[in-house]
Amino acid sequence: MSGISKTESPFTRALLAGALAGTTVDLSLYPIDTLKTRLQSSAGFSASGGLRGIYAGVGSALIGSAPGAALFFVTYEATKTHLHSYTLSPQTARWADPLAHMAAASLGEVAACAVRVPTEVVKQRAQAVQFRSSWAALQAILARRGVVGVGGVWRELYRGWGVTVLREVPFTVIQFPLWEGLKEWRRRKTGRESISAVESGLFGSVAGAVAAGVTTPLDVLKTRMMLAREKAGAGEMAGRMLRDGGVGVFFKGMGPRVVWISIGGAVFLGSYQWAFNAMGGV
């Protein structure tokens, strides 16, 4: 850690630590994400690539991971700091802290989705072998400009925006208060002010696994909407899925998703805490 300079600004710490955490987790666990996408595809696992080319679409993840995660953590830390600046009675503070974490995480996800949604659209189409690469998927979307105009291209890049936000907000409302609560419990138990990267990673893993399992149906719906040849609304797509596959279809890929996010939670929040601590945060 001696090679990393201390950073006084909490904003800069959150920006840099978030960018590092996002890139680390997305690249290290990319194959599991690909398998999850293929399991959820309406074309079926084998037709969507099976075990072949599990790094398909990694280019878009490489470009979008750092700015998306940085946007999340900058918004999260800024909102949390602002909300914690209010003076509250001990009884009120007990309930206010989890609510502040929920609000901060929700706003962070909405901000991050500005980068995450187009990245996901391009990435998942390459993962499901609809295109050779993420670049080919992006080119196909941009090539439609002459037919649908700039607005149409924009809507295609942000297809599934609503359901992605609908998935991410409940996810973070579960994950981050649980992560923060476990960290606070550890501080009280040890008497230390700071939390180590290993502790943060373990708590992130637990919180991520719980949140991933609960929000799997929304993740499947989001994947189907992004991969569909023709655009469909969330209600229409959900009805179609229910008719064709029953309730069980909404839990496709749950195993890989829980494993991926459990490991990812450890890597993501552990590396974030490591970088945050190394730059002078607690």
Side-chain angles (χ1 to χ4, degrees):
M1 288 203 305
S2 59
I4 299 177
S5 61
K6 301 293 182 183
T7 304
E8 293 302 321
S9 168
F11 176 89
T12 305
R13 281 199 297 269
L15 180 74
L16 297 177
L20 173 67
T23 303
T24 301
V25 72
D26 282 354
L27 295 186
S28 62
L29 299 176
Y30 193 82
I32 302 176
D33 181 41
T34 299
L35 296 178
K36 185 251 338 172
T37 296
R38 292 174 178 177
L39 283 167
Q40 292 177 347
S41 172
S42 59
F45 181 71
S46 297
S48 297
L51 296 174
R52 306 182 307 277
I54 54 176
Y55 277 94
V58 73
S60 59
L62 186 62
I63 292 169
S65 294
L71 260 177
F72 172 82
F73 275 112
V74 165
T75 307
Y76 177 75
E77 293 291 351
T79 305
K80 187 174 71 169
T81 300
H82 174 72
L83 292 175
H84 283 166
S85 67
Y86 292 97
T87 304
L88 301 170
S89 67
Q91 284 185 323
T92 306
R94 188 173 129 197
W95 297 103
D97 279 353
L99 291 175
H101 297 150
M102 289 179 189
S106 298
L107 289 175
E109 285 298 349
V110 172
C113 279
V115 174
R116 185 177 298 145
V117 172
T119 300
E120 284 272 301
V121 168
V122 171
K123 179 194 75 174
Q124 291 200 314
R125 291 180 186 184
Q127 285 178 322
V129 296
Q130 292 181 356
F131 297 93
R132 308 183 272 104
S133 64
S134 52
W135 176 239
L138 178 60
Q139 283 183 308
I141 294 171
L142 297 178
R144 300 191 64 197
R145 180 183 172 187
V147 179
V148 298
V150 175
V153 169
W154 183 268
R155 286 190 294 274
E156 188 65 18
L157 281 170
Y158 281 89
R159 188 197 284 196
W161 160 274
V163 75
T164 302
V165 172
L166 191 64
R167 176 197 69 174
E168 296 295 351
V169 168
F171 179 89
T172 51
V173 161
I174 296 168
Q175 183 188 33
F176 274 80
L178 183 53
W179 176 60
E180 294 279 11
L182 288 168
K183 290 200 298 177
E184 185 56 34
W185 166 79
R186 184 62 177 169
R187 286 191 192 99
R188 288 198 306 268
K189 186 173 181 182
T190 61
R192 290 188 280 109
E193 186 180 350
S194 63
I195 292 292
S196 72
V198 173
E199 290 168 332
S200 179
L202 287 172
F203 299 150
S205 178
V206 172
V210 173
V214 172
T215 58
T216 294
L218 291 170
D219 185 57
V220 178
L221 178 60
K222 185 269 307 178
T223 299
R224 292 291 182 93
M225 288 178 69
M226 287 184 173
L227 294 180
R229 296 290 182 182
E230 298 296 328
K231 190 173 181 179
E236 180 186 348
M237 180 61 73
R240 192 185 305 167
M241 290 167 59
L242 207 53
R243 286 194 305 273
D244 295 344
V247 175
V249 74
F250 288 94
F251 293 91
K252 281 195 169 185
M254 184 175 180
R257 175 171 163 79
V258 170
V259 170
W260 167 49
I261 294 180
S262 178
I263 299 171
V267 176
F268 185 58
L269 295 173
S271 58
Y272 174 79
Q273 194 74 50
W274 174 83
F276 197 77
N277 290 351
M279 287 184 282
V282 292

